[in-house]
């Protein structure tokens, strides 16, 4: 009996110990958890946002590790645009820094975004080759809608570089299929990628069909670089409706922040914003053919999250490598201060909220004219207009010191004909009539394409939102360096400077507007430009003038403030009347400067009104004749109407 009591006591103690241990360290959940990011844009390090340093790959690694400890079956995914946005992109092709670090952080799969192709076909192939040659363990990059034949390469060629249509993962008892794709708008953003893409809906249908027939997975996840939350680019809603077999869509490209997921039927659409400010987490209970959402959250990556030391060391290594790029432009480090801002500019995500002049756009466009004058010296040809589209402004300026890293982030896109990262400035010529068209692109086209909103230096215009679409500009003029108004001669050629990408986009206006807006960038002799590389602006040493370098030089040219640092002048704290927006019913504004579009529409309207009047009159006349004939018939039959 005594032994029995002792045995029972031991069992009780062991049971109590297990309970205590269980409460102190809960057993990992058996449900499936998806940790996801997208649109990181080379933001390896934390960045300043609203006075706080947020994001950073080393902090994201800590969140990933925590999720894996708490959830046995964890899948870590990225929806593309993991590159292009900070100085780390300058070693994209040579080192594949972003791809390699994300793989080391424990990502299971990534997807291509449109910005992975910013350096063209050679750029992305060099990046993939650099990653492969590192002999490190790499996550697959998934893209299901590459047209291999049209792209001039085989599927095996890309597969050898770790690019696949889809991947199958075993997470506990679950089989999970993950595939990637680029949506319609994302493909439009990379016209010179050298890669041809199939329709994303049709590709998704065929890929899902193949996955289901071969693997019968418990869950299908799509890394869709297509977008949601935008009336124009809400392509992932369309995808979910068209391919209901997809269980989860990680929606990238539009940088949307979905605090709650969107449900389209049984499909869950999730999005966590940009730059690693948030990491998304989806917890699912998979039961048969259904995936039930247990929990959805966006984890803010802020200073409260401890950094992973190993990832920090990797980032420090790559940070040292970008110094060679900076030194070629005369800078010693990414944190070198070039100017100070006494005020805060509008955040880049809010620039497209409405059609309005933005001081940040004024600052950047002014820097282009300054840089060209500086570069050409005695051979300078007057720049009448400089133009900056909203879509190429990738960051903003907060109050305080401005370092080289921040300047680069503002104008970080692209690569030049010299093979050096950063779009160069490009010189084109437009007629006076085409300058009006340029203003109209801003006034009308930006309503449906916010990235097409323009900020100009030297070109001023007035818009009435009550005027006819594609003819909303009722006044347009040039301004010289002294602020004097100069009337535009419709037939005269004017010199216009913009970034290379923007200059090329000017040439697409005709097609995008179905010929309603006519604009063709020209050479100084009036011939239409066929090769924009020949119009790149160089300094006296033959070096391309990069967009970001133009801004850096302009900031450095400002008078020094009390702290001895060049300070942005107060005039950039507010609008300067370069773009005036009215919504009045002023007869003078509504009837001024009608274009052929308005005149054509009015003529058609008058014709239709006349046609309607003619038809009505014809019908009335017919009815009268019919009535008269009826009356005569009645009279001939001997019927007499007494009045």
């Amino acid at each position: 009996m005594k032994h029995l009591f002792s045995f029972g006591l031991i069992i009780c103690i062991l049971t109590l110990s297990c309970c205590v241990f269980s409460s102190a360290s809960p057993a990992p959940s058996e449900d499936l958890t998806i940790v996801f990011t997208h649109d990181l844009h080379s933001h390896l390090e934390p960045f300043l946002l609203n006075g706080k340093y947020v994001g950073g790959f080393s902090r994201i690694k800590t969140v990933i590790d925590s999720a894996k400890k708490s959830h046995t079956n964890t899948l870590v995914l990225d929806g593309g645009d993991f590159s292009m946005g900070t100085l780390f992109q300058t070693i994209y092709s040579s080192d594949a820094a972003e791809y390699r670090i994300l793989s080391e952080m424990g990502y299971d799969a990534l997807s291509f975004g449109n910005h992975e192709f910013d350096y063209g076909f050679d750029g992305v192939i060099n990046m993939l080759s650099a990653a492969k040659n590192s002999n490190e363990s790499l996550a697959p990059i998934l893209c299901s809608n590459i047209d291999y034949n049209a792209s001039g390469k085989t599927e095996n060629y890309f597969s050898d570089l770790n690019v696949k249509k889809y991947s199958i993962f075993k997470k506990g008892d679950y089989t999970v299929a993950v595939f990637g794709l680029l949506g319609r708008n994302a493909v439009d953003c990379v016209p010179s990628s050298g890669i041809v893409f199939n329709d994303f809906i049709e590709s998704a249908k065929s890929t899902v069909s193949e996955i289901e027939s071969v693997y019968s997975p418990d869950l299908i996840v799509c890394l869709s670089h297509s977008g949601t939350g935008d009336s124009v680019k809400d392509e992932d809603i369309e995808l979910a409706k068209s391919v209901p077999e997809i269980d989860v869509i990680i929606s990238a490209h539009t940088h949307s922040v979905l605090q709650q997921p969107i449900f389209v039927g049984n499909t869950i659409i999730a999005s966590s914003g940009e730059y690693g400010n948030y990491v998304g987490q989806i917890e699912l209970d998979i039961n048969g053919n259904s995936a039930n959402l247990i929990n959805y959250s966006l984890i803010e990556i802020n200073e409260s999250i401890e950094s992973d030391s190993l990832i920090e060391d990797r980032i420090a290594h790559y940070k040292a490598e970008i110094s060679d790029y900076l030194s070629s432009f005369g800078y010693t480090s990414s944190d070198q201060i070039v100017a100070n801002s006494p005020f805060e500019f509008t955040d880049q995500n809010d620039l497209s909220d409405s059609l309005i002049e933005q001081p940040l756009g004024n600052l950047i466009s002014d820097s282009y004219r300054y840089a060209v004058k500086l570069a050409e010296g005695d051979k300078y040809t007057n720049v009448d207009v400089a133009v900056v589209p909203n879509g190429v402004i990738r960051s903003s300026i907060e109050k305080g010191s401005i370092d080289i890293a921040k300047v680069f982030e503002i104008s970080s896109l692209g690569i030049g004909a010299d093979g050096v990262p950063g779009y160069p400035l490009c010189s084109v010529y437009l007629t006076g009539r085409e300058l009006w068209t340029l203003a109209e692109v801003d006034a009308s086209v930006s309503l449906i394409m916010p990235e097409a909103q323009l900020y100009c230096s030297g070109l001023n215009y007035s818009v009435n939102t009550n005027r006819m679409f594609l003819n909303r500009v009722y006044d347009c003029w040039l301004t010289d360096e002294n602020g004097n108004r100069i009337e535009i001669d419709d037939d005269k050629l004017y010199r216009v400077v913009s970034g290379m990408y923007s200059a090329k986009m000017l040439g697409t206006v005709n097609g995008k507007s179905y010929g309603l807006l006519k604009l063709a960038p020209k050479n100084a002799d009036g011939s239409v430009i066929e090769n924009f590389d020949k119009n790149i602006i160089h300094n006296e040493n033959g070096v391309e003038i990069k967009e970001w370098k133009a801004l850096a030089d302009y900031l450095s040219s400002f008078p020094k403030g009390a702290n001895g640092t060049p300070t942005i002048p107060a005039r950039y704290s507010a609008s300067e009347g370069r773009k005036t927006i009215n919504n009045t019913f002023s007869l003078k504004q509504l009837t001024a400067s009608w274009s052929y579009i308005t005149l054509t529409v009015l003529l058609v309207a008058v014709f239709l009104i006349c046609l309607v009047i003619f038809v009505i009159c014809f019908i009335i006349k017919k009815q009268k004749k019919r009535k008269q004939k009826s009356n005569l018939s009645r009279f001939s039959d001997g019927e007499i109407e007494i009045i």
Side-chain angles (χ1 to χ4, degrees):
M1 187 74 179
K2 191 173 183 180
H3 290 294
L4 184 62
F5 174 80
S6 300
F7 179 77
L9 182 62
I10 291 170
I11 293 297
C12 290
I13 292 172
L14 288 174
T15 302
L16 182 62
S17 299
C18 289
C19 291
V20 171
F21 179 78
S22 177
S23 63
S25 180
S29 166
E30 293 299 327
D31 301 313
L32 181 69
T33 297
I34 299 173
V35 177
F36 67 92
T37 56
H38 52 85
D39 297 294
L40 293 170
H41 286 289
S42 299
H43 280 68
L44 277 64
E45 295 183 299
F47 61 97
L48 189 63
L49 179 65
N50 298 325
K52 298 186 299 182
Y53 279 95
V54 300
F57 281 18
S58 61
R59 293 174 180 171
I60 293 175
K61 175 64 161 65
T62 300
V63 170
I64 291 172
D65 289 347
S66 176
K68 288 183 175 180
K69 288 178 182 177
S70 302
H71 306 277
T72 302
N73 307 317
T74 300
L75 194 64
V76 186
L77 306 170
D78 183 83
D81 274 3
F82 51 82
S83 61
M84 306 297 154
T86 72
L87 278 164
F88 288 102
Q89 75 182 58
T90 61
I91 54 172
Y92 170 78
S93 297
S94 59
D95 292 68
E98 300 92 341
Y99 181 25
R100 291 165 64 186
I101 292 182
L102 289 172
S103 296
E104 183 178 344
M105 289 164 62
Y107 277 76
D108 291 290
L110 290 73
S111 175
F112 276 139
N114 53 288
H115 283 288
E116 269 67 75
F117 302 96
D118 276 4
Y119 292 172
F121 182 83
D122 290 342
V124 72
I125 296 301
N126 289 339
M127 182 275 292
L128 294 170
S129 300
K132 179 181 179 179
N133 294 337
S134 71
N135 294 319
E136 297 171 1
S137 178
L138 299 170
I141 297 180
L142 309 179
C143 189
S144 64
N145 62 327
I146 294 176
D147 186 330
Y148 296 103
N149 290 331
S151 300
K153 297 292 181 181
T154 65
E155 187 172 348
N156 287 337
Y157 175 84
F158 283 92
S159 181
D160 287 344
L161 293 172
N162 216 25
V163 178
K164 305 176 181 179
K165 289 171 61 177
Y166 59 84
S167 284
I168 307 298
F169 300 94
K170 290 293 292 184
K171 295 293 179 180
D173 295 330
Y174 304 127
T175 299
V176 183
V178 184
F179 73 101
L181 52 79
L182 263 73
R184 196 176 297 119
N185 183 269
V187 171
D188 286 344
C189 291
V190 286
S192 58
S193 67
I195 295 179
V196 179
F197 296 89
N198 293 317
D199 177 74
F200 77 114
I201 297 292
E202 295 306 314
S203 295
K205 288 179 179 179
S206 62
T207 301
V208 167
S209 177
E210 179 181 335
I211 288 171
E212 287 189 323
S213 64
V214 177
Y215 298 98
S216 300
D218 299 294
L219 192 78
I220 298 178
V221 180
C222 178
L223 300 177
S224 177
H225 204 82
S226 306
T228 191
D230 187 302
S231 59
V232 178
K233 305 175 194 169
D234 219 348
E235 296 179 9
D236 282 325
I237 301 293
E238 179 186 354
L239 175 63
K241 291 178 179 177
S242 303
V243 195
E245 297 85 357
I246 300 173
D247 297 293
V248 178
I249 295 175
I250 304 302
S251 180
H253 185 53
T254 49
H255 297 206
S256 303
V257 178
L258 296 179
Q259 294 292 349
Q260 294 297 327
I262 296 173
F263 289 89
V264 178
N266 294 322
T267 303
I268 300 168
I269 300 178
S271 194
S272 61
E274 63 187 9
Y275 305 162
N277 188 9
Y278 294 100
V279 168
Q281 186 165 304
I282 304 170
E283 297 172 36
L284 298 168
D285 174 26
I286 302 175
N287 185 7
N289 293 325
S290 64
N292 301 312
L293 182 64
I294 299 173
N295 185 49
Y296 174 93
S297 61
L298 298 185
I299 303 166
E300 184 178 15
I301 308 302
N302 55 35
E303 295 168 339
S304 68
I305 298 174
E306 186 177 351
S307 298
D308 181 271
S309 59
L310 292 178
I311 298 301
E312 280 199 323
D313 289 344
R314 284 292 298 271
I315 293 171
H317 165 74
Y318 288 123
K319 191 172 183 178
E321 289 197 22
I322 65 178
S323 61
D324 289 342
Y325 174 82
L326 290 176
S327 63
S328 67
F329 291 95
Y331 297 104
T332 56
S333 67
S334 59
D335 54 7
Q336 183 176 340
I337 303 299
V338 294
N340 178 73
S341 180
F343 40 82
E344 187 171 297
F345 288 83
T346 302
D347 185 87
Q348 76 275 10
N349 291 319
D350 299 326
L351 291 177
S352 59
D353 285 352
S354 59
L355 180 64
I356 191 173
E357 179 183 340
Q358 289 286 356
L360 180 60
N362 293 347
L363 177 70
I364 299 172
S365 58
D366 285 350
S367 76
Y368 290 2
R369 297 176 83 185
Y370 171 85
V372 175
K373 193 171 186 178
L374 186 68
E376 294 182 345
D378 296 337
K379 298 179 181 179
Y380 172 66
T381 300
N382 183 58
V383 175
D384 299 291
V385 177
V387 59
V388 180
N390 175 61
V392 303
I393 302 176
R394 311 300 293 182
S395 187
S396 188
I397 297 174
E398 295 200 354
K399 183 178 180 179
S401 298
I402 308 168
D403 59 21
I404 282 296
K406 168 56 66 175
V407 177
F408 184 87
E409 288 171 20
I410 293 171
S411 300
S412 58
L413 296 182
I415 194 167
D418 58 0
V420 177
Y423 278 130
L425 295 183
C426 186
S427 175
V428 305
Y429 285 81
L430 299 176
T431 65
R433 173 46 56 188
E434 288 173 325
L435 292 182
W436 278 78
T437 300
L438 192 67
E440 196 59 55
V441 168
D442 183 25
S444 292
V445 178
S446 65
L447 290 175
I448 54 177
M449 293 178 59
E451 61 270 25
Q453 184 167 177
L454 305 177
Y455 309 109
C456 298
S457 176
L459 183 67
N460 298 53
Y461 43 95
S462 298
V463 176
N464 189 306
T465 56
N466 293 316
R467 284 168 62 94
M468 186 171 293
F469 184 69
L470 298 183
N471 192 195
R472 302 175 80 196
V473 177
Y474 65 88
D475 193 15
C476 189
W477 68 98
L478 297 174
T479 303
D480 64 17
E481 293 180 353
N482 297 318
N484 299 315
R485 176 177 176 129
I486 302 173
E487 299 301 330
I488 295 175
D489 182 341
D490 284 354
D491 298 321
K492 182 179 177 180
L493 285 174
Y494 295 92
R495 191 184 189 196
V496 179
V497 167
S498 69
M500 172 64 84
Y501 178 81
S502 308
K504 290 181 177 179
M505 287 299 101
L506 292 178
T508 68
V509 169
N510 289 1
K512 295 290 185 182
S513 66
Y514 301 99
L516 294 176
L517 295 177
K518 301 183 184 300
L519 196 157
K522 302 170 184 63
N523 296 301
D525 61 5
S527 60
V528 175
I529 296 174
E530 296 182 358
N531 183 359
F532 282 88
D533 288 354
K534 295 180 179 179
N535 294 69
I536 291 173
I537 298 171
H538 302 81
N539 64 16
E540 58 184 9
N541 297 320
V543 177
E544 291 183 358
I545 306 301
K546 304 293 185 181
E547 290 179 304
W548 74 266
K549 184 63 165 58
L551 179 57
D553 288 344
Y554 189 50
L555 291 171
S556 301
S557 73
F558 294 143
K560 294 181 179 179
N563 60 358
T565 304
T567 301
I568 298 177
R571 70 185 184 91
Y572 287 112
S573 64
S575 60
E576 298 180 303
R578 302 185 187 190
K579 187 191 306 186
T580 305
I581 312 299
N582 296 302
N583 57 2
T584 67
F585 288 93
S586 164
L587 185 62
K588 182 178 180 180
Q589 291 181 11
L590 295 177
T591 58
S593 304
W594 281 353
S595 70
Y596 79 95
I597 297 174
T598 298
L599 291 172
T600 301
V601 171
L602 288 175
L603 287 173
V604 171
V606 170
F607 172 77
L608 291 174
I609 291 171
C610 291
L611 182 61
V612 169
I613 293 173
F614 173 79
V615 171
I616 292 172
C617 291
F618 179 78
I619 293 172
I620 292 173
K621 189 174 181 180
K622 274 282 190 182
Q623 288 177 339
K624 283 184 177 181
K625 284 185 176 182
R626 190 178 293 112
K627 188 174 181 181
Q628 289 173 357
K629 187 175 182 180
S630 177
N631 288 340
L632 286 172
S633 177
R634 289 169 59 194
F635 181 77
S636 64
D637 290 340
E639 296 181 14
I640 300 174
E641 183 178 359
I642 301 174
I643 300 177

